[in-house]
Amino acid sequence: MAGTGPVGVGFIGAGMISNTYLENLTSFPDVRVVIVGDLDTQRAADQAHKHGIAESGSPDDVLAHPEVELVVNLTIPAAHVPVSSAAIAAGKHVWSEKPIGIDRAEALRLLEQADAAGLRVGIAPDTVLGPGLQTARRAIARGDIGTPLSAQTSMQYIGPDVFHPSPEFLFARGGGPLLDMGPYYVTALVHLFGPVADVAAVGVQGRATRTIQVGDRVGTSFPVEVPTLVQAIARFEKGATSQSVFSFDSPLTRMGLVEITGTEGTLVVPDPNTFGGQVRITRGAAPDSPTREPLWHDVPAVGVEAGRGLGALDMARAIRSGDRHIATGELGYHVLDTLTAIEESVVAGAFVAVESTVDEVPMVPEDRDPFAATL
């Protein structure tokens, strides 16, 4: 493989989410998308044509391509580890959509395989690398809210069966609101508070079956395998706590709520499923306020906003420089370990320890520009 110039990228998985990845990774000069692969080779060909990619084919074609150094794995959660493992066996670095896998043991074996091969694993979400969360991190690091004490997060809506044409995997093992959307919130909290020590949770299944509401299979019903409402609390190694709601059962939509309270103020963090957004701080009401409404201060965002694929770009640059990339496999594993512990707590009705830990996650340099060529 070449050691200079843009890093060659191949896609495995050409479903809905591949659109935003392809739009962004074809706009970053430090990477070059060379092939799109999918079990449905016509779908791969359609996506390649749509985004101006010269080659398409099967997953095996991607793995065999001599110019592919980094595989972007956009398969369903149950396939994440097998596809990532095959990529590593083929001598490729891997960026995988979240979660890293659906089983702790197989995810850990994947990291061991990559380490033995001298290859990198990166795990979504990369939304946390955008100016929104990074600006919030800097505010906390400056002491803008004093010592951080607690967090409150909420992600609740009616569920993806209302918009996804093939939503079954989102209600199967490895899915549900916890494994589908939980990685955004837990990853954000680990960036802000550090590793999780233990968790406790309750959960319910709102309906035993769901019905597809869009696409060619409208009216098709399928079974629900996981809780569709989970309420969790977490304790972090450094002492902070959080409480979170994850729901596919709420007619009232409340997405992207992340509030961090410290000894001197409360910080509102943008939706962790986005890259930007407004960061705000309140330290209470103005002294002369008759209504005692909180007085809000905007925190100016720092950094260049991009989109999905930012984590793969960070990996590509790190591959060339030899530096550490930010959204590491180890971070992805700790998030999976935390989410799995929450699942276990729902069943056990007790606190469950999170056995793994992770080093402090580096911040994105303020002057980093994904659209500037550096390689």
Side-chain angles (χ1 to χ4, degrees), residues 192-216:
L192 295 164
F193 284 166
V196 180
D198 59 2
V199 298
V202 293
V204 296
Q205 191 179 96
R207 285 173 278 165
T209 61
R210 293 274 181 150
T211 302
I212 299 173
Q213 299 185 38
V214 296
D216 296 338

Side-chain angles (χ1 to χ4, degrees), residues 148-154 185-186 188-190 192-201 231-237 239-246 257-261 338 342 351:
L149 300 174
S150 65
Q152 179 175 322
T153 79
S154 184
Y185 295 83
V186 173
L189 290 173
V190 173
L192 295 164
F193 284 166
V196 180
D198 59 2
V199 298
Q231 296 173 289
I233 59 175
R235 296 188 289 205
F236 294 80
E237 290 182 6
T241 63
S242 68
Q243 57 179 349
S244 299
V245 175
F246 308 101
L257 173 67
V258 180
E259 296 176 354
I260 311 297
T261 295
T338 300
I342 291 172
F351 270 94

Side-chain angles (χ1 to χ4, degrees), residues 340-360:
T340 303
I342 291 172
E343 288 184 320
E344 292 170 348
S345 178
V346 169
V347 176
F351 270 94
V352 174
V354 178
E355 299 295 340
S356 66
T357 190
V358 68
D359 294 336
E360 182 178 353

Side-chain angles (χ1 to χ4, degrees), residues 62-142:
V62 176
L63 298 181
H65 200 294
E67 296 179 25
V68 172
E69 299 174 70
L70 172 62
V71 168
V72 173
N73 178 2
L74 302 183
T75 58
I76 64 172
H80 284 176
V81 167
V83 170
S84 295
S85 179
I88 292 166
K92 319 292 188 183
H93 305 280
V94 179
W95 170 266
S96 174
E97 250 305 313
K98 47 77 186 169
I100 185 174
I102 62 173
D103 176 83
R104 285 190 188 99
E106 67 172 13
L108 193 56
R109 286 194 297 269
L110 176 71
L111 296 182
E112 292 168 347
Q113 178 192 5
D115 186 60
L119 295 168
R120 296 173 184 252
V121 175
I123 304 297
D126 55 3
T127 48
V128 291
L129 307 184
L133 188 92
Q134 294 296 314
T135 297
R137 284 194 68 182
R138 289 188 173 88
I140 292 174
R142 285 193 302 266

Side-chain angles (χ1 to χ4, degrees), residues 168-233:
E168 291 93 332
F169 75 96
L170 294 167
F171 294 87
R173 182 169 177 256
L178 186 62
L179 269 294
D180 178 43
M181 296 299 293
Y184 295 106
Y185 295 83
V186 173
T187 303
L189 290 173
V190 173
H191 271 253
L192 295 164
F193 284 166
V196 180
D198 59 2
V199 298
V202 293
V204 296
Q205 191 179 96
R207 285 173 278 165
T209 61
R210 293 274 181 150
T211 302
I212 299 173
Q213 299 185 38
V214 296
D216 296 338
R217 300 165 59 228
V218 167
T220 302
S221 295
F222 59 91
V224 176
E225 300 178 4
V226 293
T228 47
L229 167 62
V230 176
Q231 296 173 289
I233 59 175

